[in-house]
Amino acid sequence: MTDVSAALGALASTAHPVRFSGLGRSFGRPVLRDVDLEVAAGEVLAIVGASGCGKSTLLRIAAGLDAPTTGTATIDGTAVDGVDPRCAFGFQQPRLLPWRSIAANVSLGLPRGTAAAAGRKRVARLLELVGLADAAQLRPREVSGGMAQRASLARALARNPGVLLLDEPFGALDALTRLKMQDLLLDVHAAAPTTVLLVTHDVDEALQLADRVVLLGREPGAEGSTVVREIVVPGERPRDRGDARLAELRGELLEGLGVERHAH
Amino acid sequence: MTDQTTATMEREGRANALGNPMLTPVGVRAQPGAARTRGSLGPVQRILLGALLPAIVLGAWWLSTSTGFFAPHQLPSPVAVVQAGVDYAERGLLGTYIAISTQRVLIGFIAGAVLGLAVGALVGLSKLGDAFLSPMLGGVRAVPSLAWVPLLLLWMGIGEEPKVVLIAIGAFFPVYTTVATALRHVDRDLVEAGRAFGYRGVALFFTVQLPAVVPSVAAGLRLALAQAWLFLVAAELLASSMGLGYVLSDSQTTGRVDRIILAIVLLALLGKLSDTVFGLAERWAVRRWA
Ligand SMILES: Nc1ncnc2c1ncn2[C@@H]1O[C@H](COP(=O)(O)OP(=O)(O)OP(=O)(O)O)[C@@H](O)[C@H]1O
Ligand SMILES: [Mg+2]
């Protein structure tokens, strides 16, 4: 915890609220429609939903990498227009530059204008936090999939963003590393305030990490996904995995995903 | 890692599907296992094996001339060819001819390559540039190299310019084609990652797109260099008073087969030497950037 504060405290950011209003996106056919969602500054929001329902698309719109067909996405009251410097993105695939070392890849995430020495220090600390200190000088092709994904997470954290967009950041990790990285994310969140939008397919992960979970899916008779369920997760983090209330919510979310599966 | 390997393979698959032979050397290198399992030759054995065929050809040549199978005016002996070289050297012409030919190749190659890089970048990166330039360039590219010669001679006389321009034309197209093709096929996910972290325009080009195409560009440059030697001979054959191509055309009129063979051997050596040097540079580029 103190470790994390030390690594991140130097460049404290302010968390920004995110808002999607009347948002729709179609690629020939509607993928997202009528998404109305407000994320408070500093909130951790988990987004779950069936594969292909538009979770990545929603995050890309928030980052300004894609534009909505209808409606708007706003960060801190201003509409997202083009790539937004207040966001950092942890992609579903690591997307590391193959010709750069892991450390150089992580430094790609540093905010513009970071002094070289401060940047190096920050990258080194982040690599330590994600357990890649020994791999700093390796190329992406020389590390495992899980290591690459941790490097990608470190690159997003390097930005010290007001809004952290994570697209299944722990998907390729083994169970133990996954738990460690989940803890790391919570530590980071506690040390440097940021709004987190976390896409995951793991309902337990969503309930462990998030203040609120939204389920994206189709409403009967309509094309395109929208928010079909919204769950405020009770209790303070770190949560007890055996909590009976969580077990009930878990069932509810799985049912939501299951209904979704039958609909296809 | 798996994702990345798959992505790389897809990228190369696409490049190869385009039938672009220039991208193949880079692609082959991406599977290091394949090269290692191909044979168990050490470097010395490989050099010896590579030298075997030239040695056999030389031996057969020597034998066929010393036994009188060929008359000297048909095929002079290796010794006579060396003699022709010594003769040129004593008159101070050998070095001059080699130097002037090499100079033409280098100047033309550099001019064509720089232009090819710039235009290739424009066409590969901008849809507008692509739509505007590539139909015209495709047409120009279809013109056989020798067709330019009369025009260049009429416009520029018989000095250095028409030769260098012809060589530049020859070097331009391999570079232009590889750069444009490679830039069009840069992994979109990587470009998007660069954009997501605030890189745009020139910064994005130098951070993501350019490094991603360095190996293909190196392959294109190497091809362009070979092409430059080809066009050199075309230029010198038709209008020159110096250089290796001039030796060829002049010796044809005087019937000096020994000098013709000398020029051919020198062209082979120079071309192979420059290609080897460039091949090393390319190998380094692939290791560093791929
Ligand atoms: N650039 C694009 N062009 C066309 N269709 C697209 C594009 N991007 C996404 N889609 C389509 O939009 C839908 C949602 O894609 P998206 O990647 O957002 O899904 P997802 O919820 O993240 O799925 P997963 O859980 O499998 O990652 C898919 O059907 C996909 O085919
Ligand atoms: Mg996705």
Side-chain angles (χ1 to χ4, degrees):
Chain A
M1 180 67 211
T2 42
D3 228 18
V4 177
S5 311
L8 303 168
L11 282 151
S13 62
T14 35
H16 298 297
V18 180
R19 178 186 201 145
F20 303 101
S21 31
L23 184 133
R25 176 70 170 108
S26 78
F27 295 104
R29 71 203 155 76
V31 169
L32 293 171
R33 64 165 187 89
D34 302 328
V35 176
D36 282 295
L37 190 59
E38 210 162 324
V39 193
E43 185 178 0
V44 179
L45 177 83
I47 301 166
V48 298
S51 178
C53 74
K55 304 182 294 293
S56 299
T57 304
L58 189 66
L59 283 202
R60 292 175 31 128
I61 289 173
L65 291 170
D66 192 15
T69 319
T70 57
T72 52
T74 57
I75 293 177
D76 202 14
T78 52
V80 175
D81 180 22
V83 176
D84 200 291
R86 293 166 294 186
C87 296
F89 210 117
F91 293 97
Q92 201 165 352
Q93 288 86 29
R95 301 197 189 180
L96 302 174
L97 302 179
W99 53 88
R100 285 192 176 205
S101 68
I102 295 295
N105 263 290
V106 172
S107 66
L108 196 78
L110 291 170
R112 283 305 174 81
T114 311
R120 264 198 305 278
K121 225 168 167 178
R122 187 173 167 77
V123 168
R125 280 191 181 147
L126 279 167
L127 283 173
E128 225 165 276
L129 287 178
V130 298
L132 289 177
D134 292 337
Q137 293 315 315
L138 295 181
R139 297 288 195 83
R141 65 162 175 266
E142 297 168 319
V143 305
S144 74
M147 290 163 87
Q149 205 169 27
R150 280 181 276 153
S152 168
L153 178 66
R155 179 176 64 181
L157 294 177
R159 205 155 193 77
N160 216 15
V163 179
L164 181 58
L165 305 164
L166 297 176
D167 198 350
E168 301 197 19
F170 311 127
L173 304 180
D174 63 276
L176 183 64
T177 315
R178 172 185 280 243
L179 290 180
K180 275 194 207 157
M181 290 301 111
Q182 289 174 351
D183 285 347
L184 170 67
L185 180 63
L186 292 181
D187 287 350
V188 166
H189 183 257
T194 175
T195 309
V196 181
L197 273 66
L198 170 79
V199 168
T200 174
H201 59 255
D202 181 345
V203 169
D204 290 314
E205 180 172 279
L207 292 171
Q208 272 303 307
L209 300 180
D211 298 307
R212 195 156 49 116
V213 183
V214 296
L215 176 66
L216 284 187
R218 283 192 204 173
E219 282 172 343
E223 256 204 294
S225 309
T226 188
V227 178
V228 292
R229 199 160 307 188
E230 200 177 322
I231 289 170
V232 177
V233 187
E236 288 291 304
R237 285 181 298 252
R239 300 194 177 100
D240 175 11
R241 285 172 196 275
D243 190 328
R245 286 175 303 175
L246 291 190
E248 191 181 316
L249 292 175
R250 179 172 181 273
E252 201 178 308
L253 279 171
L254 283 175
E255 188 195 334
L257 286 166
V259 167
E260 199 48 34
R261 243 177 267 131
H262 290 308
H264 277 294
Chain B
M1 193 64 193
T2 322
D3 282 334
Q4 239 165 12
T5 317
T6 319
T8 316
M9 274 159 39
E10 271 169 18
R11 236 176 299 143
E12 283 157 11
R14 240 176 289 149
N16 288 341
L18 285 172
N20 192 334
M22 300 158 218
L23 294 176
T24 315
V26 181
V28 170
R29 173 90 193 23
Q31 300 145 313
R36 246 179 274 129
T37 51
R38 201 174 52 186
S40 52
L41 288 180
V44 179
Q45 283 160 307
R46 181 168 302 176
I47 288 171
L48 285 178
L49 194 62
L52 190 60
L53 193 55
I56 290 173
V57 169
L58 193 67
W61 176 15
W62 179 78
L63 215 69
S64 65
T65 49
S66 65
T67 57
F69 188 79
F70 287 115
H73 70 274
Q74 289 173 311
L75 180 66
S77 72
V79 181
V81 171
V82 172
Q83 203 59 55
V86 172
D87 176 45
Y88 265 136
E90 277 170 353
R91 287 189 283 147
L93 291 175
L94 189 69
T96 316
Y97 285 0
I98 290 176
I100 190 80
S101 287
T102 309
Q103 178 187 313
R104 285 166 182 161
V105 162
L106 287 183
I107 295 176
F109 167 72
I110 290 169
V114 168
L115 218 64
L117 280 170
V119 179
L122 202 65
V123 168
L125 289 174
S126 133
K127 287 203 178 79
L128 211 67
D130 187 12
F132 180 62
L133 290 170
S134 49
M136 175 75 184
L137 286 170
V140 175
R141 189 186 177 199
V143 177
S145 56
L146 289 179
W148 296 111
V149 174
L151 199 61
L152 291 175
L153 290 182
L154 274 178
W155 282 351
M156 300 178 175
I158 52 165
E160 287 303 293
E161 293 94 341
K163 300 176 186 66
V164 169
V165 169
L166 187 70
I167 294 165
I169 292 175
F172 170 83
F173 282 104
V175 178
Y176 156 71
T177 315
T178 29
V179 171
T181 311
L183 281 175
R184 268 190 218 120
H185 293 99
V186 171
D187 189 342
R188 283 180 195 199
D189 285 355
L190 289 186
V191 176
E192 193 185 68
R195 288 207 300 132
F197 288 102
Y199 288 84
R200 301 188 283 136
V202 177
L204 183 66
F205 178 71
F206 282 107
T207 311
V208 180
Q209 280 136 332
L210 184 64
V213 301
V214 163
S216 325
V217 171
L221 287 174
R222 192 174 169 192
L223 214 69
L225 191 61
Q227 192 97 319
W229 282 105
L230 202 78
F231 279 57
L232 167 85
V233 176
E236 286 183 344
L237 265 180
L238 291 166
S240 61
S241 53
M242 282 195 291
L244 295 171
Y246 164 73
V247 173
L248 287 172
S249 67
D250 185 56
S251 308
Q252 188 199 356
T253 27
T254 55
R256 290 291 300 267
V257 184
D258 53 343
R259 288 184 181 170
I260 292 179
I261 294 177
L262 174 73
I264 289 174
V265 170
L266 285 176
L267 283 169
L269 290 177
L270 286 172
K272 179 69 187 150
L273 181 73
S274 64
D275 187 61
T276 304
V277 170
F278 223 93
L280 291 176
E282 186 193 341
R283 282 242 298 277
W284 173 84
V286 169
R287 252 206 319 277
R288 171 68 186 79
W289 298 99

